[in-house]
């Protein structure tokens, strides 16, 4: 969205950590690393200045100490005892460019020195006893992580991120789906258990949509539709609208409830609302958008007093109000002009859109059975062609990248 390198690199480091430390051999994502090891809070992550100097040498240790705010007596305070054990946690309170200016070092040189130091410290830290890992695989958390990997794959043009997202959801659909198309919430050591809840369906459908718009394998779009239809059948409140947190035909509970406000993770109703709008725009199924409208009327009454508690739902509302777009790219799936057009769409922050690939190499591709309006949207004169539509009212098709973006930006 901003084009700022700091945000891109931070995201990449998170994905690197998740891929390295939080991904099972089968591709699904684990839940958490413990904070403590060997009975001490944060021990795995903490350093003394002497340890840093031993690994890096005096010159680089001074640089790291200055940049990451290490202190000889330690900067870490135990949150329980209030004691300072003399160790440090690395943290930045200024940008790399600001630090480089203060130290009189060119940005690139400082970045290279810090990265070299980081690698040495990481190699040394790997010799320590690792914290225990919570290796549960949860459907909802995997859905969120897979959605993030898929979105990042488009933004950074990074195919390996898309592959990580696909592996995770493929595992879930193989190991955590029930015979009737439902989901189980948790998997560990070969056992899947606990009936799926709203967040499991909403987040996993979200991931499927992001994966479809990244690689355009119709299998994932079908799965998004199937999960959403199951959610509508088993979780929708037919009387008052909105999704219950637990299935209405599941375990009999004294109280059924609905969550609309975001907490540590986004509201399942908010995610479902955005999914319904996106699926409505892709499939032309008016029922999806009618259900989203019902959710809108509920959210409108709740969010007045504290709108920041409903950011996911308000994002969906913004999409629904518009302007929003349906973009159909018609061309050879593997053609370079097609890939170039899709890359351009992926790297730009235009959130209120759906993107559909209409493959030209197949006479009747599978997508035309789901999004019937794409049947006659074909490449012009053998060139990849973009059809930019606003609420199904389409501009003149274009084979020009700049014109496509101009149409999306309201030009």
């Amino acid at each position: 969205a901003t084009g700022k390198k700091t945000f891109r690199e931070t995201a990449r480091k998170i994905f690197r950590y998740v891929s390295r430390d939080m991904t099972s051999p089968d591709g699904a994502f684990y839940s958490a690393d413990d904070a403590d090891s060997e009975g001490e809070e944060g021990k795995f992550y903490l350093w003394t200045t002497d340890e840093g100097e031993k690994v890096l040498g005096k010159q680089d240790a001074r640089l790291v100490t200055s940049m990451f705010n290490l202190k000889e007596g330690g900067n870490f305070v135990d949150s329980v005892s209030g004691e300072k054990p003399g160790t440090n946690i690395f943290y930045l309170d200024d940008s790399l460019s600001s630090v480089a200016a203060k130290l009189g070092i060119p940005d690139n040189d400082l970045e290279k020195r810090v990265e070299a130091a980081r690698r040495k410290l990481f190699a040394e830290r790997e010799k320590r006893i690792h914290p225990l890992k919570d290796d549960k695989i949860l459907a909802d958390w995997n859905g969120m992580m897979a959605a993030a990997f898929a979105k990042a794959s488009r933004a950074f043009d990074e195919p390996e991120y898309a592959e990580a997202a696909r592996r995770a959801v493929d595992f879930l659909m193989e190991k955590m789906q029930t015979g009737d198309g439902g989901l189980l919430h948790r998997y560990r050591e070969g056992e899947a258990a606990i009936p799926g809840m709203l967040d499991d369906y909403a987040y996993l459908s979200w991931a499927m949509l992001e994966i479809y718009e990244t690689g355009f394998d119709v299998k994932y779009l079908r799965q998004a539709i199937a999960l959403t239809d199951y959610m509508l059948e088993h979780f929708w409140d037919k009387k008052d609208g909105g999704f219950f947190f637990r299935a209405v035909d599941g375990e009999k509970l004294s109280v059924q409830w609905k969550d609309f406000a975001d907490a540590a993770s986004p509201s399942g109703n908010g995610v479902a609302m955005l999914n319904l709008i996106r699926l409505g725009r892709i499939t032309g199924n008016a029922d999806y958008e009618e259900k989203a409208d019902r959710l809108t009327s509920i959210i409108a009454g709740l969010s007045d007093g504290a709108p920041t508690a409903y950011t996911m739902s308000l994002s969906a509302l913004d999409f629904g109000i518009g302007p929003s777009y349906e973009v159909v790219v018609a061309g050879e799936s593997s053609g370079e002009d097609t890939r170039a057009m899709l890359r351009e769409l992926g790297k730009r922050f235009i959130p209120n859109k759906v993107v559909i690939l209409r493959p030209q190499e197949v006479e009747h591709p599978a997508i035309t059975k789901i999004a019937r309006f794409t049947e006659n949207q074909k490449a012009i004169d053998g060139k990849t062609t973009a059809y930019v539509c606003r609420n199904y009212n389409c501009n003149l098709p274009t084979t020009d990248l700049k014109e496509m973006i101009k149409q999306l930006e309201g030009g």
Side-chain angles (χ1 to χ4, degrees):
T2 66
K4 289 186 178 180
K5 182 180 178 182
T6 298
F7 297 136
R8 182 182 69 240
E9 291 307 310
T10 301
R12 284 187 179 279
K13 288 172 182 176
I14 292 170
F15 290 127
R16 188 186 307 147
Y17 161 72
V18 171
S19 298
R20 183 190 67 226
D21 289 357
M22 300 301 293
T23 302
S24 75
D26 294 310
F29 304 116
Y30 295 134
S31 292
D33 268 334
D34 280 356
D36 57 344
S37 54
E38 301 181 73
E40 292 184 30
E41 180 83 9
K43 183 174 181 179
F44 181 73
Y45 303 99
L46 299 173
W47 296 80
T48 65
T49 51
D50 287 345
E51 286 173 329
E53 187 173 312
K54 183 178 178 181
V55 174
L56 300 174
K58 287 187 177 182
Q59 186 176 6
D60 282 343
R62 279 198 298 270
L63 173 65
V64 167
T65 295
S66 172
M67 185 166 181
F68 291 95
N69 297 286
L70 310 189
K71 296 179 180 178
E72 192 167 332
N75 64 26
F76 175 68
V77 179
D78 189 289
S79 60
V80 177
S81 67
E83 295 178 354
K84 293 182 68 174
T87 51
N88 292 276
I89 186 164
F90 284 60
Y91 72 91
L92 285 167
D93 58 6
D94 211 344
S95 67
L96 186 142
S97 58
S98 295
V99 174
K102 290 175 184 175
L103 298 175
I105 302 172
D107 286 15
N108 288 341
D109 289 353
L110 179 60
E111 189 173 356
K112 288 176 183 177
R113 286 180 64 184
V114 170
E115 177 61 16
R118 188 196 66 79
R119 289 178 181 275
K120 290 178 182 178
L121 291 168
F122 177 82
E124 183 65 24
R125 195 186 70 178
E126 283 296 282
K127 300 173 185 177
R128 298 177 177 179
I129 296 174
H130 282 244
L132 293 177
K133 193 177 301 296
D134 181 349
D135 59 1
K136 292 193 305 293
I137 292 166
L138 302 177
D140 50 352
W141 290 7
N142 270 258
M144 277 197 291
M145 195 75 246
F149 266 103
K151 287 168 72 74
S153 178
R154 298 198 299 273
F156 304 149
D157 191 22
E158 193 69 77
E160 69 181 62
Y161 292 163
E163 176 60 19
R166 286 192 295 269
R167 289 189 69 209
V169 300
D170 287 349
F171 176 90
L172 266 63
M173 298 308 288
E174 179 184 350
K175 301 292 187 182
M176 299 175 68
Q177 191 170 31
T178 59
D180 67 346
L183 292 172
L184 294 171
H185 174 62
R186 185 264 296 152
Y187 178 94
R188 186 173 186 269
E189 294 185 346
E191 182 203 30
I194 307 173
M197 292 156 274
L198 173 62
D199 290 359
D200 298 310
Y201 291 89
Y203 294 175
L204 191 52
S205 298
W206 181 12
M208 296 298 184
L209 280 167
E210 298 297 351
I211 292 169
Y212 169 71
E213 289 199 22
T214 302
F216 299 99
D217 185 337
V218 173
K219 174 181 84 170
Y220 296 102
L221 180 55
R222 288 197 187 104
Q223 288 175 341
I225 293 168
L227 288 167
T228 299
D229 287 347
Y230 189 99
M231 188 172 62
L232 286 166
E233 181 180 352
H234 295 276
F235 291 81
W236 183 257
D237 181 351
K238 294 180 174 62
K239 180 183 176 184
D240 298 319
F243 291 99
F244 289 114
F245 188 70
R246 295 186 182 274
V248 295
D249 54 357
E251 179 186 357
K252 297 302 179 186
L253 303 169
S254 58
V255 177
Q256 269 281 24
W257 71 94
K258 305 170 194 170
D259 286 331
F260 293 95
D262 301 327
S265 52
S267 151
N269 271 281
V271 174
M273 182 177 167
L274 183 55
N275 292 345
L276 286 165
I277 293 170
R278 292 173 69 181
L279 282 172
R281 301 298 170 85
I282 291 172
T283 65
N285 183 342
D287 184 56
Y288 289 147
E289 297 216 44
E290 187 274 328
K291 292 295 193 299
D293 285 344
R294 292 282 303 278
L295 283 165
T296 298
S297 64
I298 297 170
I299 296 298
L302 294 171
S303 62
D304 280 353
T308 54
Y310 298 88
T311 52
M312 193 72 204
S313 299
L314 293 176
S315 295
L317 180 61
D318 185 68
F319 196 123
I321 292 173
S324 55
Y325 302 90
E326 305 87 41
V327 184
V328 179
V329 175
E332 298 284 336
S333 298
S334 58
E336 181 49 41
D337 50 351
T338 301
R339 306 321 300 175
M341 195 168 276
L342 294 173
R343 278 196 300 271
E344 192 68 23
L345 287 167
K347 74 182 184 182
R348 290 176 177 269
F349 184 67
I350 308 172
N352 291 356
K353 71 179 186 310
V354 295
V355 180
I356 301 168
L357 176 64
R358 200 282 189 202
Q360 196 64 28
E361 67 270 18
V362 182
E363 186 175 356
H364 298 291
I367 190 62
T368 61
K369 295 178 175 62
I370 297 172
R372 295 190 178 279
F373 60 91
T374 65
E375 178 67 42
N376 297 315
Q377 292 176 320
K378 299 179 180 180
I380 297 173
D381 297 330
K383 296 180 180 179
T384 297
T385 303
Y387 294 79
V388 178
C389 311
R390 182 172 170 176
N391 297 326
Y392 306 111
N393 295 313
C394 298
N395 293 297
L396 290 174
T398 181
T399 59
D400 183 75
L401 278 174
K402 291 182 180 178
E403 176 59 25
M404 175 187 70
I405 296 302
K406 183 179 177 183
Q407 290 179 10
L408 279 167
E409 293 178 341

